[in-house]
Amino acid sequence: MPTGTVHFISLGCPKNLVDSEVLLGRLVLDDFAVCEDADQADIIVVNTCGFLEASRQESIGVIQEACELKKKGSASGVVVAGCLAQRDKDKLLELLPDVDAFLGIMGEEKIAQLCEDLTKKVKSRRAKSPERYQVERNDRECSADVGRLRLTPRHTAYVKISEGCDNVCTFCIIPKIRGVHRSKPVEMVLQEVRELAADGAKEINLIAQDTTSYGKDLYGGFELPRLLREIAAVPGVRWVRLMYAYPSYFTDAMIEAIASTPNVVKYVDMPLQHISDPMLKGMKRQITKAETLDLMRRLRAGVPGLVLRTTFIVGFPGETDADFDELEAFVKEAKFDRAGAFKYSPEKGTPAGRYPGQVDEAVKEARYDRIMRAQQAVAFDRQRKWLGQDVEVLVDSKAGKRWVGRTYGDAPEIDGVIYLTGGKPKVGDLLRVKVTRAEGYDLHGKVVEREAGVPAASVSGA
Ligand code: SF4
């Protein structure tokens, strides 16, 4: 008999997804059975996002739906973990009276016992109710994210190389929620990567609040180059991808490591947020326009074939028409392969939330449309460079009759895909494919070799 059944809802970013995988792993280790349907579960766990007001509202809506199921008697407990639970203790306890317990961002040691206690409570009225607010401090050392129950396809995985952030971006609440920057020791990261590779992960996506700061707290210097090389050497790992690279600390040694390590894909996700100097200063991004342009030049010169992804914020307080025009011109000229944008959202507890010169919502909306239109034209044009190329493709899924994969230029979930014809692909295969057509953000291609770099006879499915 299982200890109980649990339905798990993971919201937010890949960093939260890793936390969800760890929490689920702990529950399964304690003999909880994971249940697809919320109304069939004893316990519903919601791992929340609290980054922006919109994500907080989404989280609260999902929690309230779970509480409704509990009121109807189909679930006996609701547990809230993650970023939302980490902040606003008094507000949450009052706003969500039907939630049985709140765990913060570091609840992996408590989740199993808590769910057990809630399950016992239903079976026996005399069982003690667990404490409602069990959120721990957010500055604890990182522990290894091992023993996960994976939520991504087996061939791809996220690895969190550090927790928290020491930067002071004035729009961002994350350092208050997740605490100061704490890197995981190299050996701990490698232990995770080995476990994931043994479980079939060929693609390792490195994430953190700020990946370029990796190592400065533990080793007194930036150790991302060493980490990239050591991860790339783990048997079974074929692609290592760098996400969330904070531009101000992007060193030449990092560029060299990306360029010279074969299994590190030539792809960088580097959020820039803006390009006008007054905006960069107001955001406290610790980089100027000239330095950004120089970094992009060094990156592109140093890493042939680089696919560059970025993110911008439009409508930051004080953003004038001239600031925005400068950003739009930059987007047209800098030719990012992929870029996304957010409309600035004033967050309580952040300096920028109190800045004068908040931009009207209609203006933000119009600027968002303009920037996305400008980038769409650039992105569609950039896609044409793939035409006729032989590229490695990692097969993700089958949609109807079509197999769907990604080249190294596409990160999971956020970028485009390539639709495949020919061959006999299987999910998790790494194939050599000739690109035949570009269509919007996506590509089409024909399989020319079953396993990239490996004779067809020795191919084994993942
Ligand atoms: S780098 Fe800036 S935006 Fe990113 S988590 Fe840190 S403070 Fe927030």
Side-chain angles (χ1 to χ4, degrees):
M1 276 284 285
T3 313
T5 52
V6 64
H7 176 75
F8 200 103
I9 302 166
S10 182
L11 302 170
C13 64
K15 287 158 270 184
N16 214 36
L17 184 109
V18 172
D19 293 347
S20 294
E21 292 181 339
V22 173
L23 293 172
L24 273 165
R26 298 297 172 100
L27 286 165
V28 169
L29 198 66
D30 198 40
D31 275 338
F32 272 92
V34 181
C35 180
E36 289 276 317
D37 298 316
D39 56 6
Q40 302 292 314
D42 298 326
I43 312 286
I44 301 175
V45 180
V46 187
N47 195 18
T48 56
C49 176
F51 179 43
L52 300 173
E53 183 54 32
S55 44
R56 279 199 293 283
Q57 289 311 322
E58 185 199 1
S59 294
I60 288 169
V62 171
I63 296 164
Q64 283 168 333
E65 279 173 28
C67 291
E68 282 305 311
L69 287 176
K70 183 180 142 186
K71 275 195 216 156
K72 284 184 198 155
S74 65
S76 44
V78 175
V79 175
V80 175
C83 287
L84 181 78
Q86 194 73 33
R87 53 191 307 213
D88 298 340
K89 174 182 176 185
D90 296 334
K91 206 168 138 195
L92 286 175
L93 288 172
E94 194 188 316
L95 179 72
L96 299 164
D98 294 313
V99 170
D100 295 274
F102 293 89
L103 288 178
I105 55 168
M106 303 206 138
E108 71 275 12
E109 302 302 334
K110 293 182 172 175
I111 185 84
Q113 186 62 53
L114 172 60
C115 290
E116 252 190 62
D117 291 348
L118 287 172
T119 312
K120 278 184 202 148
K121 183 87 190 65
V122 179
K123 290 179 186 150
S124 159
R125 281 170 179 272
R126 274 182 292 171
K128 208 167 138 250
S129 292
E131 197 187 326
R132 269 194 88 208
Y133 200 75
Q134 302 199 17
V135 175
E136 290 199 12
R137 291 169 56 120
N138 61 6
D139 54 1
R140 214 183 63 198
E141 273 181 17
C142 295
S143 50
D145 294 322
V146 288
R148 309 185 201 176
L149 180 73
R150 306 265 308 283
L151 296 173
T152 57
R154 281 179 72 187
H155 58 274
T156 182
Y158 294 102
V159 170
K160 225 173 7 162
I161 61 174
S162 62
E163 183 56 273
C165 183
D166 283 349
N167 299 316
V168 286
C169 306
T170 55
F171 53 82
C172 182
I173 193 70
I174 293 289
K176 282 198 177 152
I177 298 176
R178 295 232 164 217
V180 294
H181 177 93
R182 287 101 69 209
S183 304
K184 285 180 183 169
V186 171
E187 193 41 52
M188 184 185 283
V189 178
L190 292 176
Q191 181 196 358
E192 289 178 32
V193 173
R194 284 187 209 110
E195 182 181 282
L196 291 164
D199 189 43
K202 293 180 179 173
E203 178 186 30
I204 300 292
N205 300 288
L206 300 183
I207 55 172
Q209 261 70 50
D210 162 7
T211 48
T212 42
S213 287
Y214 177 78
K216 66 170 189 169
D217 51 323
L218 281 184
Y219 305 110
F222 299 126
E223 288 294 337
L224 186 63
R226 167 160 72 114
L227 189 72
L228 286 171
R229 289 193 180 101
E230 296 206 18
I231 292 173
V234 171
V237 170
R238 302 289 295 274
W239 286 1
V240 183
R241 184 187 300 280
L242 184 63
M243 310 288 292
Y244 309 122
Y246 185 71
S248 315
Y249 311 132
F250 218 124
T251 63
D252 285 341
M254 292 173 195
I255 296 173
E256 214 279 312
I258 295 168
S260 64
T261 314
N263 285 354
V264 175
V265 294
K266 311 314 169 204
Y267 175 106
V268 170
D269 168 48
M270 180 174 69
L272 290 177
Q273 314 302 10
H274 218 288
I275 197 61
S276 109
D277 278 326
M279 291 294 96
L280 291 170
K281 198 166 169 211
M283 292 175 174
K284 288 214 172 135
R285 291 290 289 173
Q286 310 179 84
I287 195 166
T288 62
K289 176 178 185 174
E291 287 163 347
T292 305
L293 296 178
D294 182 56
L295 171 58
M296 287 179 59
R297 185 192 55 71
R298 286 186 288 121
L299 267 166
R300 283 180 164 150
V303 188
L306 180 71
V307 170
L308 199 50
R309 177 181 182 86
T310 194
T311 317
F312 298 112
I313 294 175
V314 295
F316 185 76
E319 187 187 60
T320 61
D321 286 344
D323 292 319
F324 178 75
D325 289 347
E326 194 175 339
L327 178 63
E328 189 183 41
F330 174 63
V331 164
K332 289 177 181 169
E333 283 157 23
K335 304 214 179 300
F336 291 95
D337 301 273
R338 289 94 177 80
F342 289 98
K343 286 168 271 180
Y344 169 74
S345 152
E347 296 303 314
K348 214 170 135 225
T350 61
R354 299 186 300 273
Y355 278 1
Q358 298 286 333
V359 175
D360 192 77
E361 285 305 315
V363 174
K364 283 184 203 169
E365 193 69 47
R367 288 179 181 173
Y368 174 82
D369 285 347
R370 266 174 67 186
I371 213 79
M372 291 314 291
R373 266 204 305 275
Q375 173 57 27
Q376 187 183 61
V378 172
F380 288 4
D381 190 47
R382 298 287 290 171
Q383 285 294 78
R384 285 190 263 281
K385 78 176 181 188
W386 296 90
L387 286 174
Q389 303 232 17
D390 270 2
V391 286
E392 271 189 340
V393 167
L394 189 55
V395 182
D396 275 334
S397 61
K398 193 173 188 188
K401 287 187 177 163
R402 295 196 296 187
W403 288 94
V404 187
R406 286 175 293 111
T407 70
Y408 74 87
D410 293 306
E413 303 294 329
I414 45 168
D415 293 327
V417 296
I418 180 163
Y419 295 101
L420 304 174
T421 56
K424 288 187 181 157
K426 289 192 290 300
V427 169
D429 277 356
L430 200 54
L431 308 171
R432 191 146 285 283
V433 171
K434 183 175 274 302
V435 180
T436 53
R437 189 153 63 94
E439 184 183 31
Y441 295 103
D442 299 325
L443 299 171
H444 294 255
K446 189 170 177 347
V447 176
V448 292
E449 192 182 323
R450 291 180 64 194
E451 177 87 349
V454 179
S458 65
V459 169
S460 65

